[in-house]
Amino acid sequence: MTRILIDCDPGLDDAVALLAACHSPLLDVVAITTVAGNVGGAQTAQNGRIIRTLADSEDIPVHAGAPRPILRDPVTAEDFHGTTGLGGLDVPEPSAPLSPTHAVNALIEHCRAAKSDLLTLVMTGPMTNMALALTMAPDIMEGISEIVLMGGADREGGNITPFAEFNIYADPHAAAAVFGCGLPIRCLSLDVTHTLRTTKDRLSQVRAVDTSQADYAAAFLEASCKLEFSAKGRRDAPLHDPSTVIALAYPHLFEGRRAHVSVVTQEGEQFGRTIPHFADDGPVLWYDKADVEGVFKALCAMLEGAA
Ligand code: RIB
Ligand code: CA
């Protein structure tokens, strides 16, 4: 089992990623940290608790993190997630409380404790928490084997501006710090997630899995598709955040090229743009291709609790 810490801004697709990761026998989720992003920080923390309950994983600590980006004004993505962040779906009240430890301190503690049994960091939201942790305690990199993150765009163009993808746009300065930290990174940008479309057939595959986690995941995916239609005029929402944990558990399903990645942090029309500079010595594996049917089959296997 790969030990992972998931830093997220739930978020409908973050929710599907968390349900899959918590239920898969291939991954061991040691902690969940949340950050302001799709919705405000208090709501993403509450949603982290709710999804932990839905995943029957209340032994996993949830740590609330940065309530705002490092420098820029806060932005949210309620058009794609609703004001609750979970599409306004009827979800149970969470029972287990938030951890009293702030997400940045939790990242530092977990990474420092992992120096003999490295952690994989999965990031599916703005990278504020990790940028702050790296600034406070650069030594935490010794406890991290790799970062697998959803964010950025190159060939595909942006989804929140013509140049920028939301997770980067929401905190470009944090993203620049993470992409530049030197750790091995696998990046699921829009270049690959926009090929992973949740069609009716693929949604039916998820719905056919006989677990409560799959039932909730299907509901979150269906809500994503409805909001994608109202925001973008398409009914097949991209599988953004779940692609991180699927790539971690089933790396053979994805292909990419190595790159050094820079982020535009100057305000202007390209604010938050990611620019991959492809080179064999690049620390970032920039995915640009995936076996889409294999990815949805893998999602179903994870939600079923199968290897
Ligand atoms: O651009 C997609 C990303 O932005 C996903 O992580 C989604 O949850 C939103 O945070
Ligand atoms: Ca997210």
Side-chain angles (χ1 to χ4, degrees):
M1 288 175 97
T2 304
R3 299 176 68 242
I4 69 174
L5 185 152
I6 303 181
D7 187 64
C8 54
D9 63 334
L12 286 163
D13 57 331
D14 306 73
V16 177
L18 286 168
L19 287 167
C22 291
H23 209 48
S24 169
L26 300 175
L27 302 176
D28 176 17
V29 182
V30 300
I32 296 167
T33 54
T34 60
V35 66
N38 286 319
V39 290
Q43 190 64 53
T44 58
Q46 172 77 349
N47 291 343
R49 294 175 58 209
I50 290 169
I51 298 151
R52 173 180 60 178
T53 298
L54 302 183
D56 294 330
S57 300
E58 295 195 337
D59 55 317
I60 299 174
V62 174
H63 304 269
R68 51 151 298 118
I70 290 174
L71 283 180
R72 64 154 298 150
D73 293 338
V75 289
T76 59
E78 282 148 354
D79 291 352
F80 295 92
H81 299 271
T83 52
T84 67
L86 295 179
L89 293 181
D90 185 19
V91 288
E93 278 300 308
S95 33
L98 272 181
S99 163
T101 305
H102 189 281
V104 176
N105 293 325
L107 269 165
I108 293 170
E109 290 168 17
H110 278 287
C111 293
R112 280 181 170 162
K115 290 183 182 177
S116 57
D117 185 7
L118 299 184
L119 268 183
T120 294
L121 181 54
V122 174
M123 305 182 73
T124 64
M127 304 184 208
T128 316
N129 289 335
M130 184 55 177
L132 293 171
L134 283 168
T135 304
M136 280 173 65
D139 64 285
I140 63 170
M141 290 200 285
E142 295 166 33
I144 299 171
S145 60
E146 67 169 330
I147 297 173
V148 184
L149 66 87
M150 191 279 140
D154 177 37
R155 180 192 67 216
E156 192 64 15
N159 60 358
I160 203 78
T161 75
F163 293 96
E165 177 278 326
F166 176 78
N167 286 340
I168 312 302
Y169 184 70
D171 197 338
H173 305 92
V178 173
F179 275 118
C181 76
L183 279 170
I185 294 174
R186 285 192 270 162
C187 180
L188 287 297
S189 75
L190 299 183
D191 292 5
V192 66
T193 65
H194 274 187
T195 71
L196 303 173
R197 292 284 173 170
T198 309
T199 61
K200 281 187 178 168
D201 286 350
R202 292 165 189 159
L203 182 55
S204 300
Q205 287 176 44
V206 176
R207 206 176 270 122
V209 176
D210 187 21
T211 64
S212 64
Q213 286 76 16
D215 293 342
Y216 279 112
F220 292 140
L221 289 171
E222 187 173 19
S224 281
C225 290
K226 286 177 181 165
L227 288 162
E228 182 81 9
F229 180 68
S230 53
K232 295 274 186 179
R234 302 192 48 157
R235 296 186 188 282
D236 52 354
L239 198 69
H240 292 305
D241 294 342
S243 67
T244 57
V245 294
I246 295 167
L248 191 51
Y250 304 90
H252 64 281
L253 295 173
F254 295 81
E255 290 177 38
R257 289 182 290 168
R258 309 210 68 81
H260 300 270
V261 176
S262 59
V263 180
V264 175
T265 54
Q266 293 75 27
E267 305 241 357
E269 68 165 354
Q270 299 200 18
F271 191 43
R273 178 184 176 189
T274 46
I275 306 172
H277 310 273
F278 294 107
D280 290 344
D281 67 347
V284 181
L285 179 52
W286 186 274
Y287 283 132
D288 54 20
K289 200 176 294 177
D291 165 1
V292 58
E293 298 310 338
V295 162
F296 277 86
K297 285 185 173 57
L299 176 62
C300 290
M302 295 176 83
L303 291 166
E304 195 172 14

